Amino acid sequence: MLLRLAALFLLLSASSSAFAQEAISNGLPQDANSSTQTVSDSAWIDLRQQPAASSKPQSAPEWVEAVNMTPDGGGKTIFRIRVSAPSPDTQVMFMRLFFDDNDKARPEIVAWDESGSQVVRSGTLGSGIGLPTSDAVMIPMKGISTVDVEVPGDGKNVRGAYLDWMTSSEVVHPLNAEHRDIIPEPFSSLPPLHSPEQDLEKFGTVTATLASETIPVGSDAQRGAVFQFGIESQPLLALLTFEVASPRVDSPPEVYVNGEDVGPATLTLPELADPGYRGKMESLLKEMRFQYTGWLRAQKLIPVSNLKVGTNDMIITSGSATSTSAIRGTQVQLKYLWEKSDYLLQTDH
């Protein structure tokens, strides 16, 4: 079995008697501090195809035995990673793949055992949005020794892979709160954003989904995502929440409500050690600009004075310096006076 972290889907194992094409040739040099490394050491595997003159030898923890790349003869490229569990207690591996999400070159993760039998296959990663992104899987590694990244074409859209071993612990959650999947992302504490199929009301707050699907957006209103939603009475507070793909971190999405620009949304950023940050130097600029190659949570408090009873129009654009992006899981929360609302009534002196 294999778990996709994007939605924690349970996938069935696929067995095959076909043998994997052997592509392991040379092992990776071990880190200089490998003798002092612990089981928790993670690995960053650079899969970019660069000329030998500009590339440097990679190093990895001892449990990464070898990495190689080969065409499979069927119009695909295979990046093969051979691993060995560093401890009997480590049986699940976390793998996050970084790639350009081209619709005709979406990668898959395939795991093999020592006999050359296919044990698990992830299905295609990404969603074909045409942007730099990342996707993650958890792989039960019992009996598995080789993990392939299989991608149509020359594989140049695959950039790298982050590998780590998982541990488990008992987790408690509120019985009456909405169930949220716990994602074991190493650099982010936010769970995936769920969009309710029907409007929800709790403690005077209404949550309504505007669109759960992925919508491409550009940097101007003509290429923005357009929404309409109705309001029966004026709220006290309004919050817009969505996820945005591959934004430049200093150029968050812009929000327009009923024809007026109400300002940029706020991005919830993971820690800066996350390999999802991708730098870019531009001419005449002294500072490197960073794009996050993945999905980020974005939120915007909407001034209630910009809302009206009846139909409201909203446009979300990618941000002035983010030429193309995409959003998903778009929802709005409207807070009303509740019978047990906590508020202070302040009088003038």
Side-chain angles (χ1 to χ4, degrees):
M1 293 181 294
L2 184 150
L3 293 177
R4 283 285 307 281
L5 296 188
L8 290 182
F9 292 142
L10 184 64
L11 303 182
L12 297 178
S13 298
S15 297
S16 172
S17 59
F19 284 81
Q21 179 183 354
E22 182 59 43
I24 305 301
S25 57
N26 299 313
L28 290 178
Q30 304 306 314
D31 285 342
N33 298 325
S34 62
S35 60
T36 61
Q37 289 175 355
T38 64
V39 169
S40 62
D41 284 334
S42 59
W44 168 254
I45 309 298
D46 192 344
L47 300 177
R48 292 173 296 180
Q49 301 176 42
Q50 298 175 328
S54 62
S55 61
K56 296 181 180 179
Q58 294 196 61
S59 62
E62 291 180 339
W63 52 267
V64 180
E65 297 180 350
V67 178
N68 214 318
M69 181 192 77
T70 181
D72 74 342
K76 293 183 178 181
T77 298
I78 295 175
F79 299 92
R80 179 153 296 169
I81 305 172
R82 187 172 179 87
V83 299
S84 59
S87 162
D89 297 330
T90 52
Q91 298 185 8
V92 178
M93 189 174 71
F94 174 90
M95 182 174 186
R96 184 178 173 193
L97 188 68
F98 296 82
F99 58 98
D100 294 332
D101 191 10
N102 301 331
D103 186 49
K104 296 183 179 179
R106 294 170 59 186
E108 291 187 82
I109 306 299
V110 186
W112 307 84
D113 63 17
E114 286 287 0
S115 70
S117 296
Q118 182 186 130
V119 182
V120 292
R121 179 178 286 269
S122 68
T124 52
L125 304 181
S127 54
I129 57 176
L131 297 168
T133 191
S134 57
D135 211 344
V137 297
M138 287 192 295
I139 309 172
M141 294 296 291
K142 186 175 181 179
I144 291 176
S145 58
T146 303
V147 177
D148 287 352
V149 178
E150 185 179 289
V151 57
D154 58 14
K156 291 184 178 180
N157 63 312
V158 176
R159 304 197 312 276
Y162 173 88
L163 307 177
D164 203 353
W165 291 93
M166 307 296 297
T167 185
S168 61
S169 61
E170 187 174 350
V171 178
V172 296
H173 61 85
L175 181 63
N176 295 303
E178 177 190 1
H179 175 71
R180 296 183 179 182
D181 297 325
I182 303 299
I183 60 170
E185 288 281 358
F187 304 101
S188 175
S189 60
L190 287 178
L193 184 61
H194 290 280
S195 301
E197 295 181 1
Q198 297 181 345
D199 294 358
L200 300 178
E201 191 277 331
K202 188 173 186 180
F203 298 157
T205 299
V206 176
T207 301
T209 296
L210 301 182
S212 59
E213 67 272 14
T214 299
I215 304 174
V217 293
S219 58
D220 54 72
Q222 287 72 31
R223 294 185 296 150
V226 180
F227 305 96
Q228 281 192 337
F229 59 97
I231 294 179
E232 295 181 355
S233 59
Q234 198 75 5
L236 302 174
L237 201 62
L239 177 66
L240 174 68
T241 305
F242 56 94
E243 289 181 329
V244 57
S246 299
R248 213 173 86 172
V249 297
D250 60 346
S251 178
E254 291 278 343
V255 180
Y256 299 80
V257 178
N258 292 325
E260 183 176 347
D261 186 354
V262 297
T266 299
L267 297 176
T268 301
L269 298 176
E271 60 181 277
L272 298 183
D274 191 323
Y277 289 97
R278 189 184 197 184
K280 182 179 181 181
M281 289 295 295
E282 300 177 3
S283 59
L284 304 180
L285 293 179
K286 297 181 179 179
E287 297 181 1
M288 183 175 289
R289 306 298 186 183
F290 282 89
Q291 174 189 29
Y292 186 79
T293 56
W295 292 89
L296 292 179
R297 181 77 59 88
Q299 290 186 304
K300 176 63 181 177
L301 277 173
I302 303 172
V304 294
S305 59
N306 287 87
L307 298 175
K308 61 185 179 181
V309 175
T311 301
N312 291 266
D313 298 309
M314 179 183 297
I315 300 175
I316 302 175
T317 66
S318 63
S320 58
T322 303
S323 58
T324 57
S325 184
I327 62 172
R328 68 183 183 190
T330 310
Q331 56 190 257
V332 64
Q333 288 188 330
L334 304 174
K335 188 174 186 64
Y336 294 93
L337 192 63
W338 175 50
E339 59 181 4
K340 294 182 175 61
S341 291
D342 186 7
Y343 64 92
L344 301 174
L345 188 61
Q346 185 173 352
T347 58
D348 295 330
H349 295 284

